[in-house]
Amino acid sequence: MERRTPVLELARTDPGVISRTTAVPRLDGWTTGALLVAGLIAMPIVAVIALAVAPSDDIWRHLAATVLPHYLATTAVLAAGVGAGTLIVGVGAAWLVTMCRFPLRGIFEWALLLPLAVPSYVVAYVYTDILEYAGPLQAALRDLFGWTSRRDYWFPEIRSLGGAIAMMTLVLYPYVYLLARAAFLEQSVCVLEVSRTLGKGPWQSFARVALPLARPAIVIGVTLVVMETLNDFGTVDFFAVATLTTGIYDVWLNMNSAAGAAQLAALTLGIVALLIAAERWARRKRRFHHTTPRYRALATVPLSPARAALAFLACLAPVVLGFLIPATRLLGFALDHRPGPGTGRFLELAANSLLLASITAGLAVLIGLFLAYGIRVSRNRWLPAAIRFASIGYAIPGAVLAVGVVVSLAAWDNAVDAVARTWFGLSPGLLLSGTVLAMVFGYLVRFMALSFGAIEASLGKVTPSMDGAARTLGHTPFSVLRRVHLPLLRGSLLTAAILVFVDCMKELPLTLLLRPFNFETLATNVHQLASAELLEQSAPGALAIVAAGILPVIALSRTIRRSRPGQGASGSRP
């Protein structure tokens, strides 16, 4: 017999009481706090926009008449290609390992996340070394078939737009895989059973029931991929693909026009905002939260030998191409590399990277949870718009966002210095600018979309009736968050933390511009060596970045699998 808790029973029998008790003032503590935090995070973004609209020379007309159309076309093709590729690979793999039974499925659950730990520019370096004309693959083909020059055969050019799409798809699909798999695991098995009783097969249930229910999480995953693609600089610069991002760097560093760079960044930001607005408009009156408290372990579908082989190959290919081949190549470089003068700093660089990534991930989860829950409990109509504006830093290139951070913190330091001079006759100087705190602040602004998006998507699946029922029993909003939502959001919170942690380990432009004097991380060290064509010397640092992301990724996969209500460790297996 099903046992109903007093909270759920009251929610079922008297929904009018719930709606009355959930009413909150338009400006309460949650609303005020969320607005203040959102305003603090939005300061660098506002600074970037202010730079974009500030009077400047006629660089914008020059760009529009020359390279801007090419930038836009190339960026659109790149974003569409990477988005489509990651959508197919991420959703397909997530459904296979969640609902189907085939050999090594348990290993693929976490192995499919491994490419997330590999920076895209490192993958680009490795595959260029393998696939270029002088690389081992083409050399082997020439020896095998007796070809003597490039004119004797055709081989795809790795340094091209298609090559950039392939490289980014290989390392960015885990974003979609993570969120899609978490959404599939959180779905009620009862909904799938209803579909099966209506005569739908496994694939029809996937296409007509599971996929629409997982749509918010999948769309957020693809949106994150598109933002990451728009912000990438290392891969497109190495492949000589002219995008808006390379244009921003070119205008800023070569033309010495920060305002022109900010204008291109604002254009990129506008494109992302339009994409997000279009998606939200498409699902404006739809709800995706569950209406049943019943959860049981998901029943996997056994596949025929032929289909099991195809599923095995479909999951194996992205792991081999996105992780095993680059990691093996880097390991070979590292073993051949002779320790140089900088080897003694390796532990120091690793400690710096781990410390920055850990602090930022923890703060990003706390702030993302606070903002997402603030939207849920507040009825202030301006709050959602303010928070979403504050979380769009992911769409702004890191180098341009660094300018906003520097301007914002410099204004704060100057204000504090003026107050100290007036009241105490002392000058504290620059308190935040050029410090590790400035780097953490820049990371938070940059990666807030990761934590906020993942938590908001998961929070949206919890029916508001549960909040109302808990409030009728005398619980405060904070108590509801602690006792009702946090246990349900455990998987999504860890997902957000891992996404931020791994991205901080790989973050390059923001680190280069905000780091204190003589402060290095693994990412900056790898970039400096790889840019100097010293791929062998950069291999140990690149491998360390990959290794730092592996164990958290495995732990994340195991926790997500166990986070489903009714899905214990034993229930996760057929």
Side-chain angles (χ1 to χ4, degrees):
M1 179 180 292
E2 181 184 359
R3 180 182 179 183
R4 293 182 181 276
T5 64
V7 173
L8 296 178
E9 186 66 25
L10 185 59
R12 185 180 65 85
T13 57
D14 192 359
V17 171
I18 295 172
S19 61
R20 292 192 299 274
T21 56
T22 53
V24 295
R26 288 183 177 274
L27 193 61
D28 57 3
W30 282 96
T31 304
T32 304
L35 285 173
L36 290 176
V37 172
L40 182 65
I41 296 175
M43 282 197 311
I45 303 173
V46 174
V48 171
I49 296 176
L51 278 177
V53 300
S56 62
D57 49 16
D58 204 14
I59 187 71
W60 182 254
R61 292 184 180 180
H62 171 72
L63 293 174
T66 54
V67 295
L68 184 58
H70 181 62
Y71 286 162
L72 289 173
T74 308
T75 303
V77 174
L78 180 66
V82 177
T86 54
L87 176 66
I88 295 172
V89 176
V91 175
W95 179 255
L96 287 174
V97 300
T98 304
M99 298 301 298
C100 299
R101 196 182 309 166
F102 57 94
L104 301 182
R105 178 179 66 91
I107 294 178
F108 284 128
E109 285 181 358
W110 56 266
L112 283 163
L113 296 172
L114 293 177
L116 189 65
V118 185
S120 60
Y121 54 85
V122 171
V123 174
Y125 296 152
V126 171
Y127 274 102
T128 300
D129 179 73
I130 296 174
L131 300 178
E132 65 181 357
Y133 180 78
L137 181 58
Q138 292 199 49
L141 291 175
R142 288 194 297 271
D143 293 339
L144 180 63
F145 296 101
W147 297 327
T148 58
S149 68
R150 187 184 292 273
R151 292 191 298 269
D152 295 335
Y153 64 98
W154 176 86
F155 196 86
E157 177 58 55
I158 183 64
R159 292 176 182 260
S160 63
L161 179 58
I165 292 175
M167 296 299 104
M168 293 187 190
T169 299
L170 288 177
V171 296
L172 295 181
Y173 81 82
Y175 285 102
V176 182
Y177 169 78
L178 264 176
L179 296 175
R181 182 162 178 261
F184 291 147
L185 282 172
E186 291 173 358
Q187 289 181 359
S188 170
V189 71
C190 301
V191 178
L192 301 177
E193 288 178 349
V194 170
S195 173
R196 300 297 298 273
T197 60
L198 294 176
K200 304 299 181 185
W203 298 109
Q204 287 179 314
S205 298
F206 165 71
R208 305 189 65 173
V209 178
L211 196 59
L213 286 175
R215 176 181 166 184
I218 294 172
V219 169
I220 289 175
V222 175
T223 303
L224 294 176
V225 167
V226 173
M227 291 181 180
E228 191 71 36
T229 303
L230 295 178
N231 288 310
D232 179 84
F233 175 75
T235 305
V236 294
D237 182 64
F238 189 67
F239 284 175
V241 176
T243 64
L244 282 171
T245 305
T246 58
I248 290 170
Y249 280 80
D250 185 58
V251 170
W252 189 13
L253 300 181
N254 296 332
M255 298 183 182
N256 197 26
S257 174
Q263 288 173 334
L264 288 179
L267 178 61
T268 306
L269 183 61
I271 294 173
V272 175
L274 286 176
L275 291 175
I276 296 174
E279 192 283 328
R280 290 187 178 277
W281 180 84
R283 59 181 175 96
R284 58 193 182 281
K285 292 184 179 180
R286 303 180 182 181
R287 298 293 181 268
F288 297 87
H289 51 68
H290 304 305
T291 57
T292 174
R294 299 181 57 193
Y295 282 93
R296 298 201 309 270
L298 290 171
T300 55
V301 179
L303 299 179
S304 64
R307 290 185 175 181
L310 291 176
F312 175 81
L313 293 176
C315 293
L316 179 65
V319 178
V320 171
L321 297 175
F323 179 77
L324 290 181
I325 291 179
T328 303
R329 192 69 173 171
L330 288 174
L331 183 60
F333 286 147
L335 294 176
D336 294 337
H337 169 63
R338 295 180 179 178
T343 304
R345 294 194 63 196
F346 179 80
L347 293 179
E348 177 188 348
L349 300 177
N352 291 341
S353 295
L354 291 173
L355 181 64
L356 284 171
S358 300
I359 293 175
T360 305
L363 291 176
V365 168
L366 291 176
I367 296 175
L369 177 63
F370 179 74
L371 296 179
Y373 192 65
I375 291 179
R376 188 178 181 90
V377 300
S378 173
R379 292 190 174 183
N380 189 299
R381 61 178 179 174
W382 299 107
L383 182 60
I387 292 177
R388 292 193 172 90
F389 176 78
S391 62
I392 58 176
Y394 205 67
I396 302 177
V400 177
L401 194 60
V403 176
V405 173
V406 170
V407 172
S408 302
L409 295 185
W412 167 266
D413 285 337
N414 290 332
V416 173
D417 185 78
V419 172
R421 285 174 180 270
T422 303
W423 289 4
F424 307 105
L426 300 174
S427 176
L430 299 177
L431 297 176
L432 299 177
S433 301
T435 65
V436 174
L437 292 178
M439 297 178 66
V440 173
F441 180 58
Y443 288 164
L444 286 174
V445 178
R446 177 83 170 82
F447 300 124
M448 185 50 60
L450 294 176
S451 60
F452 173 74
I455 296 171
E456 186 193 29
S458 184
L459 200 59
K461 296 188 180 72
V462 182
T463 173
S465 300
M466 298 184 70
D467 297 53
R471 296 296 303 278
T472 60
L473 296 178
H475 290 282
T476 64
F478 178 77
S479 178
V480 175
L481 172 65
R482 182 174 62 86
R483 304 186 64 175
V484 177
H485 293 295
L486 283 182
L488 298 175
L489 299 177
R490 187 176 58 180
S492 297
L493 294 177
L494 283 174
T495 301
I498 291 297
L499 290 176
V500 175
F501 180 88
V502 175
D503 261 348
C504 287
M505 290 290 293
K506 298 184 294 185
E507 172 59 31
L508 183 61
L510 206 62
T511 308
L512 285 172
L513 295 173
L514 292 181
R515 59 181 172 164
F517 178 73
N518 203 26
F519 185 90
E520 297 284 350
T521 66
L522 288 174
T524 59
N525 184 256
V526 169
H527 171 70
Q528 292 170 358
L529 294 175
S531 299
E533 301 292 338
L534 300 174
L535 190 57
E536 293 185 356
Q537 296 185 24
S538 69
L543 279 176
I545 295 176
V546 174
I550 290 178
L551 290 180
V553 163
I554 295 174
L556 169 67
S557 177
R558 294 174 61 87
T559 304
I560 288 177
R561 175 161 51 84
R562 295 173 177 173
S563 65
R564 172 188 169 83
Q567 185 93 356
S570 60
S572 62
R573 290 288 182 272

